[in-house]
């Protein structure tokens, strides 16, 4: 894992958007298509908004998500809805290139269909083929996607999408890439900002166990980057790591 520290949140977001635009250009040029898995969370969405202002050949970019909240499609909690507002509705990406994870049938449905949604998402992931880049945020508890410390999901075997119940981060019902799905990606970028993440960053860099810090499992087949602002890296600088 390569750690790159930016002076502040704005430069982390701006320079990561530049880095992402450059990767998309390289991939669409070299292989005719790029497939990326987006993430939710404030930094993840800010990154998408910044990407909207970069030159990207959207015709040849496919997007999906490494996790999704299991709420109705029009819920403001949906990662896909937030991504559409921040980016996808602002760029000429073909509708067929946007591979949303299933939504709950409607308000108050609860977890009826959560397992079916996870199974459908696993099938869609298999159809999608190789993921060139999985973008991840990280919680203050070192969660990634919807894989939380002390929850069984981090030990779920195989490449797929799982149902998550009683998520400590609301909303409670989610569907999430497994660790195997994340590590099947060619590249994994963890994009993390804020002093509230400094402990988790230090835990991850210190080699904590996956059940304590799921983010330690974040690894791409070809590249793993931990992209931080100075606040999130603060303890690292103290440790000199
Ligand atoms: O659906 C979600 O909530 C995200 O996938 C989640 O994993 C997020 O990326 C982290 O919680 C970081 O979120 P912040 O960037 O807002 O701290």
């Amino acid at each position: 894992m390569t750690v790159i520290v930016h002076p502040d949140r704005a430069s982390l977001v701006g320079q990561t958007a530049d880095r992402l635009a450059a990767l998309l250009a390289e991939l669409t040029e070299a292989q005719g298509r790029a497939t990326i898995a987006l993430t939710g969370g404030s930094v993840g969405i800010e990154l998408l908004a910044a990407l909207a202002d970069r030159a990207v050949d959207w015709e040849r970019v496919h997007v999906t998500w490494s996790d999704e909240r299991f709420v109705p499609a029009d819920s403001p909690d949906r990662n896909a809805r937030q991504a559409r507002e921040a980016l996808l509705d602002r760029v000429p990406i073909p509708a067929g290139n946007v591979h949303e994870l299933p939504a709950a049938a409607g308000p108050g449905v609860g977890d009826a269909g959560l397992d079916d949604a996870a199974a459908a998402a696993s099938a869609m992931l298999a159809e999608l083929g190789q993921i060139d880049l999985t973008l991840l945020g990280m919680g203050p508890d070192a969660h990634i996607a919807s894989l939380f410390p002390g929850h069984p999901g981090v030990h779920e075997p195989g490449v797929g999408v799982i149902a998550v119940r009683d998520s400590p981060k609301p909303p409670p019902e989610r569907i999430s890439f497994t660790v195997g799905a994340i590590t099947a990606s060619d590249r994994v970028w963890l994009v993390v900002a804020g002093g509230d993440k400094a402990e988790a960053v230090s835990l991850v860099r210190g080699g904590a166990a996956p059940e304590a810090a799921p983010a330690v499992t974040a690894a791409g087949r070809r590249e793993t980057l931990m992209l931080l602002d100075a606040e999130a890296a603060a303890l690292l600088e103290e440790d000199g790591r």
Side-chain angles (χ1 to χ4, degrees):
M1 179 185 281
T2 302
V3 179
I4 298 171
V5 182
H6 300 274
D8 53 37
R9 188 183 182 112
S11 62
L12 167 66
V13 169
Q15 291 183 40
T16 303
D18 292 340
R19 182 189 298 275
L20 181 48
L23 175 65
L24 292 174
E26 178 198 321
L27 291 170
T28 50
E29 186 56 39
Q31 56 189 40
R33 161 178 167 152
T35 304
I36 57 176
L38 308 178
T39 190
S42 55
V43 177
I45 298 302
E46 284 169 39
L47 174 60
L48 297 184
L51 190 61
D53 302 329
R54 269 70 177 177
V56 173
D57 181 359
W58 289 107
E59 281 288 322
R60 298 196 281 174
V61 176
H62 287 252
V63 301
T64 189
W65 281 262
S66 57
D67 78 330
E68 186 55 279
R69 293 85 178 273
F70 191 62
V71 291
D74 62 352
S75 163
D77 277 339
R78 280 279 290 177
N79 288 335
R81 176 172 162 172
Q82 293 179 27
R84 287 183 185 281
E85 288 165 359
L87 171 67
L88 302 175
D89 290 349
R90 300 170 54 199
V91 295
I93 187 168
N97 290 18
V98 180
H99 309 274
E100 287 195 17
L101 302 189
V109 171
D111 82 355
L114 180 57
D115 293 316
D116 294 346
S122 284
M124 185 199 74
L125 179 61
E127 278 292 301
L128 209 46
Q130 185 57 34
I131 299 221
D132 296 300
L133 167 67
T134 289
L135 288 165
L136 295 171
M138 185 179 73
D141 59 357
H143 79 256
I144 47 173
S146 289
L147 302 174
F148 294 94
H151 282 239
V154 80
H155 294 299
E156 190 73 27
V159 176
V161 180
I162 54 172
V164 175
R165 290 175 168 83
D166 56 53
S167 161
K169 178 178 182 182
E173 266 87 48
R174 292 155 168 263
I175 51 182
S176 176
F177 273 18
T178 59
V179 169
I182 292 170
T183 57
S185 313
D186 276 348
R187 299 163 191 80
V188 172
W189 297 357
L190 272 167
V191 191
V192 184
D196 62 326
K197 310 293 174 73
E199 277 290 331
V201 168
S202 180
L203 204 56
V204 169
R205 295 298 291 156
E211 48 277 0
V216 298
T217 66
R221 291 168 52 210
R222 297 175 54 180
E223 176 185 73
T224 310
L225 299 182
M226 181 180 255
L227 303 164
L228 307 172
D229 70 351
E231 287 185 11
L235 296 182
L236 286 192
E237 274 139 15
E238 277 171 29
D239 303 350
R241 281 173 291 159

